[in-house]
Amino acid sequence: MNLPFQIDLTNKVCVVTGGTGVLCGKMAESLAACGAKVAILALGQEACEQKAAAIREAGGIAIGIETNVLDKQSLKVAHEKILAELGPCDILINGAGGNHPKGQTTNEYLYPEDLENDEISTFFDLDKDGVQFVFDLNFLGTLLPSQEFARDMINREGATIVNISSMNAYCPLTKIPAYSGAKAAVTNFTQWLAVHMSKVGIRVNAIAPGFFVTAQNEKLLKNEDGTWTARAQKILTSTPMEHFGEADELIGTLLYLVNHEASGFVNGVCIPVDGAFSAYSGV
Ligand SMILES: NC(=O)c1ccc[n+]([C@@H]2O[C@H](COP(=O)([O-])OP(=O)(O)OC[C@H]3O[C@@H](n4cnc5c(N)ncnc54)[C@H](O)[C@@H]3O)[C@@H](O)[C@H]2O)c1
């Protein structure tokens, strides 16, 4: 595969949660293309196995293990399998994450008449379980795999964790308060963990992707006929580089962060990859 630059990860074991997804699937492929032994941890055994098989067909080393990042036992079982088949974890990518429709509002702003309209989900209709789902998946789904795999990484040369936050951690996006808050927690936790792990040689950083069209957000961004929604057009207007990101555009930042020679003193940062969306005030 085409990499922005080559780094050598031969014999490194990389665990990629959410590794069957659009963004982290590409990350898993890239790490394998650099020689890493990759474990894909995600929901659905078939999806995990398919992604691992595709990496093996391309000449890489990979295994797929169905894992729920919110279930400590499931993580433990995956960990044991990885230890037996690949070895201790060197690099953990916490990519599993996502949103839930019950943690979002229909409209950007609240108007009095919306309160009388059953079709409109306002702030007052946000569902506790929906909000909880989003916080669990993004925040606990980062913390629990870190607890499981960081044990392997203590004082291991080049050990590092990369969390996947979002540009909305800096400034919340309208309609998705749970997802914005949960990703803010991921960025904050990245800083906390970097400090906590600084005496045992584990660097912890994050990437904050901007807008990438993926399965997760496709319905918010594309109409049924494939044209952009009003929200998508607004995003493009607010993105100085005027396009949505492609998964490939995250890879250079990922390889930089996992490469100890390049980023060995970079710790506790969250790097936006968003075409300057988060830097633009709109004026
Ligand atoms: N798509 C975007 O524009 C965008 C922007 C910013 C941040 N992100 C973040 O990037 C990451 C990857 O996004 P994506 O669009 O590639 O995701 P995706 O929706 O394509 O895939 C989600 C992945 O997470 C896994 N997953 C979900 N729940 C899980 C659980 N309980 N246990 C284990 N795995 C679970 C799925 O199996 C899948 O592999 C996510 O953390 C997402 O929040 C995405």
Side-chain angles (χ1 to χ4, degrees):
M1 72 180 293
N2 281 337
L3 294 172
F5 50 87
Q6 191 68 43
I7 62 169
D8 184 10
L9 296 176
T10 309
N11 289 327
K12 297 278 185 196
V13 173
C14 295
V15 175
V16 184
T17 76
T20 62
V22 180
L23 303 183
C24 294
K26 184 63 75 174
M27 291 186 187
E29 289 167 17
S30 308
L31 294 165
C34 293
K37 298 187 271 182
V38 175
I40 311 282
L41 271 51
L43 297 180
Q45 182 56 37
E46 204 182 321
C48 292
E49 187 41 49
Q50 264 177 18
K51 176 53 80 178
I55 290 175
R56 289 195 298 268
E57 271 160 37
I61 301 170
I63 57 172
I65 311 171
E66 179 178 31
T67 311
N68 181 354
V69 292
L70 299 177
D71 178 346
K72 287 187 82 147
Q73 183 57 23
S74 170
L75 284 163
K76 193 165 179 285
V77 170
H79 192 181
E80 278 162 10
K81 198 161 184 227
I82 292 164
L83 282 171
E85 294 188 26
L86 303 180
C89 176
D90 296 282
I91 296 169
L92 170 64
I93 312 298
N94 278 312
N99 195 12
H100 193 285
K102 289 187 169 176
Q104 62 191 46
T105 61
T106 308
N107 292 331
E108 295 186 341
Y109 305 104
L110 178 70
Y111 296 103
E113 58 272 24
D114 294 350
L115 297 169
E116 314 303 326
N117 187 340
D118 290 342
E119 304 285 303
I120 293 177
S121 182
T122 74
F123 167 70
F124 300 103
D125 301 309
L126 286 175
D127 179 76
K128 179 173 174 277
D129 292 339
V131 173
Q132 183 81 56
F133 174 91
V134 179
F135 269 82
D136 282 354
L137 177 56
N138 293 281
F139 180 64
L140 276 182
T142 299
L143 186 147
L144 296 178
S146 301
Q147 272 185 323
E148 185 64 46
F149 292 103
R151 281 188 191 280
D152 289 0
M153 299 161 78
I154 291 173
N155 287 331
R156 245 183 122 68
E157 203 185 318
T160 193
I161 297 175
V162 178
N163 297 329
I164 308 301
S165 181
S166 167
M167 120 291 284
N168 64 26
Y170 302 100
C171 186
L173 296 181
T174 56
K175 300 187 185 184
I176 51 172
Y179 185 67
S180 299
K183 288 300 193 187
V186 170
T187 297
N188 189 279
F189 175 63
T190 300
Q191 295 172 306
W192 185 88
L193 198 61
V195 173
H196 193 67
M197 294 295 182
S198 59
K199 314 296 184 212
V200 293
I202 307 175
R203 288 187 305 121
V204 187
N205 293 294
I207 297 175
F211 286 97
F212 291 71
V213 183
T214 59
Q216 203 185 106
N217 59 18
E218 197 166 11
K219 286 207 174 86
L220 281 170
L221 301 180
K222 277 193 185 158
N223 296 312
E224 276 175 14
D225 63 4
T227 56
W228 295 122
T229 61
R231 187 172 175 86
Q233 277 159 2
K234 206 168 165 180
I235 292 163
L236 289 170
T237 310
S238 308
T239 304
M241 293 183 79
E242 284 182 77
H243 68 91
F244 285 95
E246 299 288 337
D248 286 346
E249 292 175 293
L250 293 170
I251 300 309
T253 306
L254 175 75
L255 297 185
Y256 163 68
L257 286 176
V258 300
N259 183 248
H260 194 69
E261 280 153 33
S263 62
F265 199 47
V266 178
N267 203 2
V269 305
C270 181
I271 303 182
V273 181
D274 66 358
F277 179 93
S278 56
Y280 183 47
S281 71
V283 185

